[in-house]
Amino acid sequence: LDEKVLDAITKFTTKHILSDVYIYLYDQVTRLQVQQRFITAMDLYKPEIVIAHSLGSVVAWDALKTHNYQVPLLITMGCPLALPFVQAHQQLIYKQDLTITGVNNWQNYMDPYDIVASNFKLNGPYGALVQDHTIVNEHNTKFPYTPSNAHSAVGYLANPEIKNMVAGYLTK
């Protein structure tokens, strides 16, 4: 598709479905302010593990793409980066190259009922480094199903696979 058509599709889809993603992608002042908060935290704490959920995973990816941080473990959960319209927008900005350097291990977790992650894989478009995992968001096992439960950060963090990944890294 033509870049202008693709951008129009991205704008329409994000504006009407994922409004926070729309604001982040298209409002440059907001985008830079949000990125600066992440960059400040990275500079201050120099974390070994970055855990990012939803739009936070887009913010983390952007900052890790544009700054040369060394992060041994990146965990993304409910990540919209693989949604075709978000991916297309990022490709326009970064001239097709969606890989990031400085991350040694990138684990991406998605619930198949999470409409934000939508079971789209990051491995491939974002490089071979990404390991995609389909899991059950723990909120879906404790509450009646709703799309927001499938996207719950608390539910992702309660998942044994994610807890074991973090615990295993911390005990090294």
Side-chain angles (χ1 to χ4, degrees):
L1 285 175
D2 176 78
E3 285 184 5
K4 288 182 182 179
V5 172
L6 201 49
D7 191 50
I9 292 168
T10 302
K11 281 182 180 175
F12 178 83
T13 308
T14 55
K15 186 174 187 177
H16 296 287
I17 298 173
L18 303 168
S19 59
D20 58 340
V21 174
Y22 172 81
I23 292 167
Y24 180 78
L25 294 179
Y26 290 100
D27 181 338
Q28 290 304 313
V29 172
T30 299
R31 185 180 183 131
L32 292 174
Q33 288 173 336
V34 171
Q35 280 185 17
Q36 189 55 53
R37 289 185 68 153
F38 181 86
I39 291 163
T40 299
M42 290 294 292
D43 290 342
L44 182 62
Y45 299 109
K46 298 173 183 31
E48 295 281 317
I49 303 173
V50 172
I51 300 173
H53 173 257
S54 193
L55 179 59
S57 60
V58 179
V59 174
W61 178 84
D62 258 343
L64 295 171
K65 175 79 176 152
T66 57
H67 293 74
N68 195 25
Y69 293 112
Q70 299 302 305
V71 176
L73 177 59
L74 171 63
I75 295 175
T76 51
M77 309 170 303
C79 177
L81 279 170
L83 290 172
F85 48 87
V86 174
Q87 182 179 323
H89 183 270
Q90 299 303 70
Q91 286 174 323
L92 288 174
I93 292 174
Y94 295 105
K95 310 295 183 232
Q96 303 297 323
D97 180 17
L98 299 179
T99 60
I100 53 178
T101 58
V103 174
N104 298 342
N105 184 353
W106 182 356
Q107 303 294 318
N108 179 55
Y109 295 91
M110 63 197 126
D111 183 299
Y113 296 105
D114 182 346
I115 61 170
V116 174
S118 297
N119 214 21
F120 288 105
K121 309 253 185 255
L122 295 179
N123 181 284
Y126 290 86
L129 173 70
V130 187
Q131 295 180 30
D132 292 302
H133 306 272
T134 301
I135 62 169
V136 174
N137 187 313
E138 291 299 303
H139 257 127
N140 280 344
T141 64
K142 295 180 175 63
F143 301 100
Y145 170 74
T146 67
S148 63
N149 284 352
H151 189 62
S152 163
V154 172
Y156 274 112
L157 289 169
N159 182 279
E161 191 172 333
I162 295 175
K163 289 193 299 189
N164 291 336
M165 171 63 65
V166 174
Y169 183 83
L170 292 175
T171 57
K172 285 184 180 181

